[in-house]
Amino acid sequence: MSDAHLVETRLSSEQLVQGNFLDVRRDTIALPDGQRATREYVVHPGAVMVVPILDDGRVIVERQFRYPLQQVILEFPAGKLDAGESRHACAMRELAEETGYRARQWARAGVLHPTVAYSTEFIEIWFARDLYLGQRSLDQGEFIELLAMDPDALDAAACQGALTDAKSLIALMWLQKSQSGQWPLTWVSVPDAQQG
């Protein structure tokens, strides 16, 4: 099936903001019917999220103050890609930096697009198991509290409105689907030496 009747074509682009993290653009586009319009959006380098599973079945989650919302948010470990970094390398790095854990088994679940209306951001979802604890290495100015939660308790937190982070809600769903056998994961071993 062709999507040609839905495609918008860029005619011109201007950068509105270039900050340390945000790159905001405004494009003039041709709509499928030939009319012109503008689209404003954020260019994002992409990110990963990790669902770390302990041997007892609990998962590692984080509590972190998110300034734009002015509240502490419960979420899975995640972070943006560095230039030239592979998605798997980013997942291993973020897990180690934010939690101190490394994993001997990894499975790539899939990709989500959290804000399709105004950002190029994608988040690749990774699962990690056979965890072992090492040194944590938070970024300067980063304050993260770690929790080990039973998936049922995390599900209850979602039901009660205590888990509202979209990427983490998707990861919880993926965890439940994989545990039920509906969405199987393919696990790959990663030697300790490659964990950083």
Side-chain angles (χ1 to χ4, degrees), residues 137-180:
S137 178
L138 294 173
D139 292 337
Q140 185 175 1
E142 192 172 37
F143 301 91
I144 295 173
E145 179 182 81
L146 298 178
L147 301 171
M149 292 185 71
D150 184 271
D152 288 340
L154 196 57
D155 189 67
C159 179
Q160 295 161 3
L163 175 63
T164 61
D165 174 58
K167 69 183 181 304
S168 297
L169 288 166
I170 296 294
L172 175 60
M173 178 193 70
W174 215 299
L175 175 65
Q176 293 166 334
K177 294 281 192 178
S178 67
Q179 288 179 334
S180 73

Side-chain angles (χ1 to χ4, degrees), residues 21-22 63-75 141-144 165:
F21 175 64
L22 289 182
R63 293 181 71 244
Q64 183 174 186
F65 184 78
R66 292 301 193 174
Y67 184 83
L69 298 178
Q70 290 292 296
Q71 69 184 65
V72 173
I73 297 293
L74 180 66
E75 57 192 294
E142 192 172 37
F143 301 91
I144 295 173
D165 174 58

Side-chain angles (χ1 to χ4, degrees), residues 8-39:
E8 300 174 349
T9 306
R10 179 185 301 139
L11 301 174
S12 65
S13 184
E14 64 177 310
Q15 189 171 54
L16 301 178
V17 175
Q18 176 65 61
N20 292 330
F21 175 64
L22 289 182
D23 177 357
V24 182
R25 311 268 176 103
R26 178 187 299 133
D27 290 0
T28 300
I29 56 121
L31 296 169
D33 66 1
Q35 298 293 313
R36 289 185 178 207
T38 59
R39 299 286 184 255

Side-chain angles (χ1 to χ4, degrees), residues 81-92:
L81 288 163
D82 288 341
E85 184 177 37
S86 77
R87 296 174 187 187
H88 188 207
C90 182
M92 290 189 292

